[in-house]
Amino acid sequence: MAYFWFKAFHIIGVVVWFAGLFYLVRLFIYHVEANDEPEPAPAILKQQYTLMEKRLYSIITSPGMMVTVTMAIGMLVTQPDLLKQGWLQVKLGFVALLLVYHFYCRRLMKKLEEGTCGWSGQQLRALNEAPTLMLVAIVLLAVFKNSLPTDITVWVIFAMVVAMVVTIQLYAKKRKRDKEKLALETASE
């Protein structure tokens, strides 16, 4: 019975953790793009984004990560034979990458606050897709376990990467056109 309690709260932790990770990097994008605004907006926006990032990271994202990891340990303590299964070992590899991503986001957050972050909005948009790919891989492994069709899975993830790259590029072109259009409208007034 304890295993199911651990599993339920593990899933809840995963949802909270990913919600935080998805929104955190979105805030980073807004933070970086605040530089494109006329004064005094950049200073005001950066101060607000810094506050929002810190709160999100410390109140939602990190507690979600801690609940996820703690409950996973609880599940493994109650059923240690799970560690012998190949699918779980691969899943734990993706979770390790996700933990690296989580702590790298904290590093980026500090650089943004210091004004030393060299990432562009477009680069951060690409970074924001990393947890999506890890989430897909982790969920597929958890559902299919050792019967995961790896050939199809690789193609699905590859297609997702291509779709993400194309979408990011198209959005960058749209933003550029919109800025040019706004500049023309402003110049003609």
Side-chain angles (χ1 to χ4, degrees):
M1 181 64 116
Y3 175 82
F4 293 110
W5 283 104
F6 288 131
K7 188 173 187 176
F9 282 97
H10 175 72
I11 293 168
I12 293 166
V14 167
V15 171
V16 172
W17 188 18
F18 272 92
L21 288 175
F22 289 143
Y23 190 47
L24 185 62
V25 179
R26 176 58 48 191
L27 288 175
F28 294 170
I29 294 165
Y30 299 150
H31 194 138
V32 165
E33 292 178 351
N35 290 323
D36 299 339
E37 299 297 321
E39 288 296 340
I44 296 166
L45 290 171
K46 287 179 185 180
Q47 182 179 6
Q48 184 62 38
Y49 290 136
T50 297
L51 178 66
M52 292 169 70
E53 291 158 5
K54 285 180 179 178
R55 287 179 178 169
L56 178 63
Y57 189 85
S58 62
I59 298 171
I60 296 172
T61 312
S62 289
M65 180 266 299
M66 288 186 268
V67 168
T68 300
V69 171
T70 303
M71 295 301 110
I73 292 168
M75 286 190 298
L76 294 173
V77 167
T78 59
Q79 293 195 5
D81 286 345
L82 285 173
L83 277 172
K84 296 176 185 172
Q85 297 186 23
W87 70 271
L88 184 62
Q89 294 169 9
V90 174
K91 178 186 170 194
L92 291 175
F94 280 108
V95 172
L97 286 173
L98 196 59
L99 287 165
V100 169
Y101 180 88
H102 176 95
F103 292 110
Y104 185 72
C105 284
R106 184 176 82 200
R107 184 171 179 231
L108 278 178
M109 190 170 64
K110 288 181 180 185
K111 286 183 173 266
L112 284 164
E113 183 178 12
E114 296 165 354
T116 60
C117 180
W119 287 69
S120 69
Q122 189 166 356
Q123 290 169 324
L124 287 167
R125 281 182 177 80
L127 180 68
N128 198 34
E129 301 306 329
T132 302
L133 297 172
M134 288 185 264
L135 177 64
V136 169
I138 290 167
V139 168
L140 290 175
L141 284 161
V143 169
F144 285 98
K145 298 185 178 10
N146 287 323
S147 64
L148 178 68
T150 53
D151 53 342
I152 295 171
T153 303
V154 168
W155 282 109
V156 166
I157 291 176
F158 177 75
M160 288 177 64
V161 169
V162 169
M164 290 172 181
V165 168
V166 168
T167 302
I168 290 167
Q169 293 299 319
L170 290 174
Y171 185 69
K173 287 180 183 178
K174 180 191 179 312
R175 285 176 49 94
K176 185 178 178 184
R177 280 194 315 267
D178 290 349
K179 282 184 181 180
E180 290 169 354
K181 183 179 175 183
L182 182 61
L184 286 173
E185 289 173 0
T186 305
S188 67
E189 290 178 357

